């Protein structure tokens, strides 16, 4: 009996220890799919001969598109510039994979795209053409291929594209999650916005009056806990943002923020009324306007892609000194707990502004947060206990996001990519898994079989054999 | 004949109970892990997987599944033994 108790106790402890990796590890892979509907998954450029190339390429949209912004994930140094006359988006990734590539190999581009369009017509995914950069001086064997040739799910979810003629920026959230109590953090491309300078009296000045810029971010949970479209997520979070202005006096600037969800036929969402706070960035003649507000506790948002709408109204700016206003940075941070405000990962990809102005905007502590926490306790999805078996045979050699560890070690790199290629790990992972499982089973059978309880034998027949009946005098 | 039917029924019920237990224990562990450790464990596995020729998370998940299966088997065996016909010692 003692042996059995030991067996159960030790097994339970081992189960708890090793079981920590069950669905948690799946989450790491699951994060890769958080913006699935906007993604073009990794693809490869085949190479016909040994050459020195860099995986630079064009992305061309073969239709009248007024704006194209393609933002990769996991890269802040990638630059995309869209030429409206040629309708090409020159996309440089030469820093990432430069060097010599052997013939027959492929440049495996692990980035992901978040294309967003502003178009008068519905974007047709077949129109999206990807061209290698500089086809005259590189030896790509495939000079042109469309999305149909990409051997991955390259479909664009055009339903989630906003039907408005708004400037549209995508946020490549690397670790967007919801309802899991983790701070959300990411950087996003505001390069086009930053290039714009607003001069009083200039056409640009009026151009930005009441101009709404959308920062798109997905609000999806991981696939294992995916919520069907139409159902609601309970979101309790915090959104902080700042707009840095190089002007010295923008006292009349009015910025309002709202979160919109777009769908075919309209949009919905909620406003984020907030008071803008003044912040002087260490004498760098920059002003930053911070806005912070908790998302209403318990607010239910339908699953979908949401846009952060900046309504920048500069028409009422009264300034005698301001000659221009240039947006120097925009960042956004999601917090799950107001008390951790200031301790989250900075989203400022430029690193010039601190994420938080000390003492500013530590407000809006919702009294009803406990209720949403209580609700989240009872809203969970049953996990498939046999999922690890199927995970063995999937391609798990993908970049993983480590936002928590990165914040612990104060690293800006929140994503790590495997050293070994997927062709290696795809073979060794199931092999190691089966070997480990067999070792565990063998150990368990050997151990339990030789214990005093002898769990793997029929105890009833063992204890109450005819010989024992006779010995005990049972007739 | 009737004894065989009852035996099959009993085994079926025990299998169902243990399947529920297996799912429940997995869900409970993942839930507790999420609450206590957030995603740090998964990130740690992901981190060490970057320098290993295999995915540590998947391997440890498989080990966890094996341990769960063993524990479930032991419980099934216990239920089976407890519900088996036996004669108490005189």
């Amino acid at each position: 009996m003692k042996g059995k108790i030991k067996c159960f106790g030790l097994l339970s402890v081992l189960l708890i220890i090793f079981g920590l990796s069950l669905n948690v590890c799946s989450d790491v892979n699951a994060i890769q799919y958080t913006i699935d509907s906007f993604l073009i998954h990794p693809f490869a450029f085949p190479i016909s001969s040994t050459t020195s190339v860099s995986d630079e390429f064009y992305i061309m949209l073969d239709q009248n598109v007024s704006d194209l912004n393609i933002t990769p994930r996991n890269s802040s140094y990638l630059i995309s510039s869209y030429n409206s006359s040629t309708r090409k988006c020159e996309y440089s990734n030469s820093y990432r994979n430069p060097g010599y590539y052997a013939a027959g190999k492929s440049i495996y581009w692990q980035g992901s795209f978040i294309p967003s369009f502003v178009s008068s017509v519905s974007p047709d995914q077949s129109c999206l053409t990807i061209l290698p950069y500089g086809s005259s001086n590189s030896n790509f064997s495939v000079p042109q291929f469309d999305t149909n040739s990409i051997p991955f799910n390259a479909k664009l979810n055009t339903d989630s594209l906003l039907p408005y003629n708004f400037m549209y920026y995508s946020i490549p959230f690397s670790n967007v999650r919801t309802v899991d109590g983790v701070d959300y953090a990411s950087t996003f491309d505001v390069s086009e916005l930053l290039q714009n300078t607003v001069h009083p009296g200039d056409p640009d000045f009026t151009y930005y009056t009441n101009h709404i810029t959308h920062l798109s971010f997905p609000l999806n949970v991981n696939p294992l806990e995916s919520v069907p479209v139409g159902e609601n997520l309970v979101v309790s979070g915090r959104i902080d943002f700042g707009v840095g202005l190089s002007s010295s006096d923008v006292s009349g600037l009015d910025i309002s923020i709202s979160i919109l969800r777009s769908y075919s036929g309209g949009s919905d969402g909620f406003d984020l009324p907030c008071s803008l706070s003044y912040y002087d960035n260490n004498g760098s003649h920059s002003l930053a306007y911070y806005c912070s507000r908790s998302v209403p506790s318990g607010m239910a948002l339908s699953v979908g892609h949401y846009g952060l709408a900046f309504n920048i109204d500069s028409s009422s700016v009264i300034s005698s000194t301001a000659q221009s206003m240039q947006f120097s940075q925009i960042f956004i941070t999601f917090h799950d707990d107001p008390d951790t405000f200031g301790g989250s990962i900075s989203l400022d990809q430029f690193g010039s502004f601190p994420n938080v102005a000390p003492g500013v905007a530590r407000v809006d502590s919702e009294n009803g947060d406990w209720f949403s926490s209580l609700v989240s306790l009872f809203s969970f999805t049953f996990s498939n206990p046999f999922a690890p078996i199927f995970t063995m045979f999937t391609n798990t050699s993908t970049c993983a996001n480590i936002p928590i560890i990165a914040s612990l070690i104060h690293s800006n790199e929140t994503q790590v990519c495997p050293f070994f290629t997927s062709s290696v790990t795809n073979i060794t992972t199931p092999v190691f898994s089966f070997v480990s499982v067999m070792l565990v089973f063998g150990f368990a059978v050997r151990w339990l079989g030789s214990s005093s309880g002898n769990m793997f034998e029929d105890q009833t027949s063992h204890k109450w054999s005819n010989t024992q009946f006779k010995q005990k005098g049972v007739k | 004949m009737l004894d065989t039917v009852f035996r099959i029924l009993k085994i079926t019920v025990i299998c169902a109970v243990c399947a529920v237990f297996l799912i429940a224990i997995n869900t409970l562990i993942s839930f507790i892990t999420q609450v206590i450790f957030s995603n740090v464990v998964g990130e740690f596995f992901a981190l060490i997987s970057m320098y290993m020729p295999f995915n540590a998370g998947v391997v440890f998940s498989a080990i966890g599944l094996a341990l769960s299966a063993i524990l479930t088997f032991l419980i099934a065996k216990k239920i089976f033994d407890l519900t088996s016909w036996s004669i108490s010692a005189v």
Side-chain angles (χ1 to χ4, degrees):
Chain A
M1 188 62 188
K2 222 174 189 177
K4 294 178 191 173
I5 295 173
K6 279 184 181 178
C7 296
F8 276 102
L10 197 55
L11 270 173
S12 302
V13 171
L14 287 174
L15 179 63
I16 290 171
I17 292 173
F18 289 105
L20 298 178
S21 63
L22 277 177
N23 281 345
V24 182
C25 295
S26 302
D27 286 343
V28 174
N29 300 322
I31 294 172
Q32 306 296 321
Y33 302 96
T34 50
I35 47 178
D36 195 45
S37 59
F38 264 139
L39 282 184
I40 294 177
H41 286 285
F43 60 92
F45 287 118
I47 302 174
S48 58
S49 60
T50 302
T51 181
S52 173
V53 295
S54 57
D55 52 346
E56 298 175 338
F57 51 92
Y58 284 130
I59 292 179
M60 187 170 66
L61 206 62
D62 190 18
Q63 60 174 297
N64 184 18
V65 175
S66 58
D67 180 79
L68 173 62
N69 184 21
I70 296 178
T71 307
R73 302 177 71 189
N74 191 29
S75 298
S76 59
Y77 44 79
L78 298 182
I79 300 170
S80 64
S81 58
Y82 179 68
N83 190 331
S84 59
S85 60
T86 61
R87 292 179 302 188
K88 285 182 178 178
C89 182
E90 181 178 349
Y91 201 84
S92 172
N93 194 28
S94 59
Y95 182 77
R96 186 177 178 83
N97 286 316
Y100 287 88
Y101 296 88
K105 302 295 183 183
S106 298
I107 300 175
Y108 189 69
W109 204 87
Q110 287 197 321
S112 302
F113 299 130
I114 309 173
S116 56
F117 314 96
V118 175
S119 175
S120 57
V121 297
S122 299
D124 186 355
Q125 61 178 5
S126 62
C127 296
L128 183 63
T129 308
I130 299 176
L131 296 172
Y133 176 78
S135 58
S136 60
N137 55 13
S138 62
N139 294 319
F140 286 102
S141 61
V142 181
Q144 177 175 338
F145 58 95
D146 57 18
T147 54
N148 293 325
S149 66
I150 299 175
F152 297 96
N153 179 19
K155 293 181 179 178
L156 300 178
N157 185 1
T158 55
D159 292 337
S160 56
L161 297 178
L162 284 173
Y164 313 122
N165 188 22
F166 293 149
M167 190 176 291
Y168 195 92
Y169 294 97
S170 295
I171 306 176
F173 273 178
S174 58
N175 56 338
V176 168
R177 283 165 293 177
T178 59
V179 211
D180 56 3
V182 179
D183 287 348
Y184 310 134
S186 180
T187 59
F188 52 91
D189 183 16
V190 292
S191 58
E192 189 168 345
L193 180 61
L194 300 179
Q195 294 169 3
N196 294 290
T197 302
V198 180
H199 299 278
D202 285 354
D204 285 343
F205 186 75
T206 55
Y207 176 72
Y208 278 99
T209 300
N210 294 321
H211 184 79
I212 297 178
T213 299
H214 282 272
L215 299 171
S216 167
F217 62 93
L219 198 63
N220 289 335
V221 293
N222 65 72
L224 293 179
E225 299 174 352
S226 62
V227 179
V229 175
E231 294 190 9
N232 290 328
L233 288 172
V234 177
V235 176
S236 176
R238 188 186 186 90
I239 297 175
D240 307 313
F241 75 92
V243 179
L245 300 171
S246 59
S247 170
S248 59
D249 188 359
V250 285
S251 56
L253 188 67
D254 182 25
I255 301 177
S256 61
I257 289 89
S258 60
I259 288 183
L260 299 175
R261 183 177 71 97
S262 64
Y263 54 88
S264 57
S267 66
D268 58 9
F270 57 91
D271 294 328
L272 289 174
C274 53
S275 58
L276 299 176
S277 305
Y278 173 85
Y279 178 69
D280 190 0
N281 186 34
N282 297 325
S284 62
H285 305 293
S286 296
L287 300 176
Y289 280 78
Y290 288 92
C291 178
S292 176
R293 189 177 187 275
S294 294
V295 175
S297 182
M299 169 167 282
L301 297 175
S302 298
V303 176
H305 287 259
Y306 284 79
L308 188 65
F310 280 72
N311 188 352
I312 302 172
D313 184 4
S314 57
S315 60
S316 59
V317 172
I318 302 172
S319 173
S320 59
T321 58
Q323 299 301 315
S324 66
M325 291 181 296
Q326 186 168 11
F327 299 99
S328 57
Q329 68 164 341
I330 292 178
F331 61 83
I332 180 171
T333 309
F334 284 74
H335 298 269
D336 67 309
D337 184 4
D339 293 332
T340 62
F341 186 47
S344 64
I345 303 170
S346 173
L347 300 176
D348 178 14
Q349 61 176 327
F350 305 99
S352 58
F353 280 95
N355 192 17
V356 173
V360 173
R362 188 184 288 271
V363 293
D364 294 338
S365 179
E366 298 286 347
N367 292 327
D369 281 348
W370 66 271
F371 183 73
S372 61
S373 303
L374 191 64
V375 169
S376 65
L377 279 176
F378 299 100
S379 59
F380 56 90
T381 310
F382 286 112
S383 60
N384 180 11
F386 303 104
I389 296 175
F390 306 107
T391 315
M392 288 181 204
F393 305 103
T394 58
N395 181 18
T396 55
S397 178
T398 55
C399 297
N401 297 297
I402 53 169
I404 300 174
I405 292 179
S407 64
L408 291 176
I409 61 176
H410 303 291
S411 172
N412 292 326
E413 189 64 45
T414 60
Q415 198 167 40
V416 288
C417 295
F419 176 78
F420 295 92
T421 60
S422 60
S423 57
V424 174
T425 55
N426 286 348
I427 295 173
T428 53
T429 297
V431 168
F432 275 96
S433 300
F434 277 116
V435 168
S436 310
V437 168
M438 283 190 290
L439 281 174
V440 168
F441 274 122
F443 174 73
V445 169
R446 175 71 178 168
W447 175 41
L448 297 176
S450 62
S451 66
S452 58
N454 204 348
M455 297 292 291
F456 291 93
E457 288 185 9
D458 190 347
Q459 297 172 17
T460 306
S461 61
H462 174 71
K463 287 180 179 176
W464 302 103
S465 61
N466 289 334
T467 310
Q468 286 175 312
F469 285 148
K470 289 174 183 174
Q471 286 174 351
K472 290 182 181 294
V474 179
K475 296 179 181 178
Chain B
M1 180 63 185
L2 197 63
D3 185 51
T4 306
V5 171
F6 277 118
R7 192 179 180 85
I8 292 173
L9 276 176
K10 188 176 82 171
I11 291 173
T12 306
V13 169
I14 288 175
C15 287
V17 167
C18 289
V20 171
F21 171 78
L22 186 62
I23 295 171
I25 195 74
N26 275 279
T27 306
L28 194 63
I29 288 174
S30 61
F31 176 73
I32 292 172
T33 305
Q34 279 290 342
V35 169
I36 298 176
F37 297 99
S38 185
N39 205 28
V40 176
V41 180
E43 289 185 14
F44 175 73
F45 282 133
L47 192 62
I48 62 176
S49 299
M50 298 300 106
Y51 308 103
M52 297 286 185
F54 58 88
N55 190 310
V58 174
V59 172
F60 277 89
S61 298
I63 294 173
L65 175 61
L67 292 172
S68 301
I70 291 171
L71 187 63
T72 306
F73 170 78
L74 292 177
I75 289 173
K77 175 100 172 107
K78 191 67 182 175
I79 295 172
F80 188 86
D81 289 341
L82 289 174
T83 54
S84 296
W85 176 84
S86 61
I87 301 173
S88 56
V90 179

